[in-house]
Structures are given as structure tokens and as C-alpha cells.
Amino acid sequence: MSGGAVSGFVAGVDGCPGGWAVVLAHRDGAVPPRLLKVGSFGEVLALPEAPAIIAVDMPIGLPDRVGARGRETEREVRPLLGMRQSSVFSVPSRAAVTESGDDYPLACRLARETSDPPRAVAKQCFHLFPKIREIDALMTPALEARVYEVHPEVAFWRLNGGQAMSLPKKVKGSPNPAGLAERQDLLAALGFPVTLFAPPRPRTVGWDDAVDAAASAAIALRIARGEARPFPDPPPRDGRGLRMAIWS
């Protein structure tokens, strides 16, 4: 961007194998939404479109100790989602995430030592640790004006008029075509064309990744318009001063 102009773009971001799926959308719809893949979160921040708001489906802000059922933000959003609430993982402590590397037993031990009551780490959540650490290494309180945590099912709850989606996005860990089509149709009604999700997609970006990134972009547009709210409100902060909230 030249001359200090403010970008009209926002970005919705979802982790995918080998990087991040990104849906770029324009606030006034002058440019059709576009799906791309980048290798690192730093590349998202440095995109030439300079998205003013980046909504990412990944936990931001890690508590030193965790109570029952994760951070306050997870506890607040689960009741909204009905049958879809199992999609909201409990995020463990900063020590469990940042000091365990690729050692799952160590992550579970650290998580138990820093939770009340003691609780291990779900394997699905553990697989997110590298991407959580990637964002955590870059995040500062100042960057919060631009980068926001979101969650796809909370996003769809908001976009669906405060109603959880009726069909699961995945069944036994595999994408559920009917559930993805339900979400795709909702996004299409909001201006995200179905061609955005159709093959050919960037390599390793699945249908579910594209749908989740678009849902995140829809929330980024709400944030840019001042329509979004955080859960909880006001958000608490972790030991590094980072906001802990899911926006929708």
C-alpha cells in the first residue's frame, strides 16, 4: 500500500497441511473473494494486499494455568453450539504448548501440572501446537488491532442468525460432504461464491479448509465494520498481555 492508504482487504485464515489457507475479501466487494495458500503466518502478515483485519482459526493467548474445560473463551462459546460444541478444544497452558516440542507425553505431563483439576491434552489439540507456537512467536498486544482469534463453528453460529449448524462438518474425522455443502451455501448467500471452494484448490488445501477460511473472512468483515463481539467480553489477558477471546 502506498501513501499510507488503509487496505480495503480482510483475510480469513485456517491452518492446513504445510501452511495456511487464506481467503481474501474486500470490504466493499469491489474484488471477488480469493483463496490462496501461504507457508507461514508471517507471510499472511506480509501479503501485498495488506489485509487490515486478519481473523485466524487458531488459539491466541495462552494462560499460565487452566481451569476445568479450558480457557474462559472456550467455556463461553460451547453452550452456543449445541451438537457442534465438541469442535471447541480445551487449550492447555502456555508451558504445555511452548515447552513440549513434538513430545506428546511431555505435553500431557505439563498440562496436568498446570491445570485444575489436572487434565491431559487431547491429541487433536496437540497437533495444533506447532501452528499455535508460530502465531504466538509473532503476536504482540499492538498486533491485536489487526489479528483476531476466531472459530469456524462459532462463526457459522453467528452467520446463521445465532443458530448452530444442523449437520456436522466432519464424521469420524473425515469431511462430511452434506455438512460442508450446508456451510458453503450459507457463505454463498453472504457473497462468497461456490467457485471459491471448488477444485482446483491450492495444493493441500481441502474443501473444509477453504470453507473455514471463508467463514473466518466473513467474521473479519464483521470486525472491520465494528459488528463483531468477543467471547468473553471484555476479554481476559494472558501473562504476556495477549487478549484471549473468540470473535464472531
Side-chain angles (χ1 to χ4, degrees):
M1 305 300 295
S2 62
V6 176
S7 171
F9 285 96
V10 302
V13 184
D14 185 63
C16 67
W20 302 85
V22 181
V23 168
L24 285 167
H26 200 272
R27 287 183 62 173
D28 63 10
V31 181
R34 180 165 68 95
L35 173 67
L36 62 147
K37 177 190 170 184
V38 298
S40 71
F41 196 73
E43 291 177 65
V44 178
L45 297 174
L47 284 168
E49 293 84 358
I53 301 294
I54 297 168
V56 57
D57 171 24
M58 201 60 61
I60 299 173
L62 301 170
D64 293 331
R65 295 195 68 84
V66 180
R69 300 180 295 123
R71 302 177 302 170
E72 185 179 355
T73 185
E74 285 103 40
R75 296 195 300 270
E76 279 215 4
V77 300
R78 283 195 189 102
L80 307 174
L81 302 182
M83 296 293 289
R84 308 281 82 81
Q85 64 183 276
S86 63
S87 65
V88 181
F89 302 140
S90 292
V91 178
S93 69
R94 174 171 293 281
V97 174
T98 62
E99 299 176 17
S100 57
D102 58 0
D103 188 333
Y104 179 60
L106 176 59
C108 288
R109 178 173 68 78
L110 292 170
R112 290 189 189 98
E113 291 173 353
T114 53
S115 58
D116 304 299
R119 181 185 178 94
V121 180
K123 206 64 177 283
Q124 287 172 296
C125 185
F126 176 72
H127 292 316
L128 300 178
F129 280 13
K131 283 187 163 57
I132 298 174
R133 289 192 291 260
E134 185 181 345
I135 293 179
D136 186 64
L138 295 169
M139 277 302 298
T140 64
L143 194 55
E144 290 175 351
R146 192 178 176 208
V147 179
Y148 294 75
E149 177 184 346
V150 295
H151 186 284
E153 290 307 303
V154 180
F156 284 116
W157 166 84
R158 176 67 74 193
L159 301 173
N160 195 38
Q163 296 291 323
M165 302 304 287
S166 61
L167 299 173
K169 189 173 61 184
K170 290 188 176 183
V171 175
K172 296 182 178 179
S174 297
N176 175 31
L180 287 170
E182 179 186 47
R183 289 159 177 78
Q184 179 179 283
D185 290 347
L186 176 57
L187 290 164
L190 296 170
F192 293 86
V194 294
T195 53
L196 187 70
F197 313 107
R201 292 181 292 268
R203 187 172 178 271
T204 77
V205 174
W207 186 10
D208 56 332
D209 300 320
V211 165
D212 285 353
S216 299
I219 299 303
L221 289 169
R222 285 179 53 83
I223 294 168
R225 294 191 294 257
E227 298 171 355
R229 61 158 292 195
F231 292 91
D233 187 7
R237 293 189 175 271
D238 72 3
R240 286 184 50 211
L242 299 178
R243 178 179 61 206
M244 294 184 286
I246 290 172
W247 291 75
S248 73

